[in-house]
Amino acid sequence: MKSKKKTIEEKKSYEMFIVSKMIDLYTRMDVDSRNSLKSYVLNRIDHCPHIRTKTFCSHCSSKCYSPEMSIKIKDVMKYAGWRMLFVDPKLVFKHLMAR
């Protein structure tokens, strides 16, 4: 019987997938901004020392985003969070259940 627990790589790829979709939604027209923000965030997720135990970056004990990028990603979450309900509702509910 396979365990329901996700491996570290599965958690990373899932988190990268969700945040990528949200950044894409937020920066639909601004490709340069999208690429720089996305590469920064994906790099942070890939090198996260707490990926094994954390659920969301906002609940993490160590803040690894620079203050400027932290503000940008919060803007992305505020804008894209509820809009994702219309883009991919199943993904939103799956993400909320991961908390």
Side-chain angles (χ1 to χ4, degrees):
M1 179 181 277
K2 188 178 177 186
S3 172
K4 289 255 184 188
K5 235 173 181 14
K6 288 183 179 179
T7 66
I8 291 173
E9 289 306 313
E10 287 172 328
K11 282 183 85 172
K12 281 183 184 180
S13 67
Y14 175 72
E15 195 165 329
M16 288 178 179
F17 174 73
I18 291 213
V19 77
S20 291
K21 279 189 94 114
M22 293 180 90
I23 290 171
D24 290 345
L25 184 61
Y26 180 74
T27 58
R28 264 180 281 172
M29 303 307 250
D30 188 359
V31 177
D32 293 334
S33 175
R34 175 188 315 153
N35 292 338
S36 64
L37 180 59
K38 194 183 284 190
S39 66
Y40 180 85
V41 171
L42 296 181
N43 183 32
R44 292 294 168 176
I45 292 170
D46 196 37
H47 293 93
C48 177
H50 305 289
I51 194 76
R52 185 181 308 264
T53 57
K54 77 175 181 94
T55 52
F56 300 112
C57 292
S58 60
H59 298 144
C60 189
S61 59
S62 69
K63 304 299 180 198
C64 60
Y65 286 19
S66 70
E68 178 186 319
M69 289 302 207
S70 183
I71 291 169
K72 281 186 182 181
I73 199 66
K74 283 179 185 177
D75 289 344
V76 168
M77 299 298 162
K78 284 179 192 174
Y79 177 86
W82 68 272
R83 286 174 174 87
M84 288 292 291
L85 277 170
F86 301 105
V87 174
D88 196 340
K90 287 182 184 178
L91 184 64
V92 171
F93 289 113
K94 181 179 174 186
H95 185 65
L96 290 174
M97 297 307 290
R99 287 186 139 182

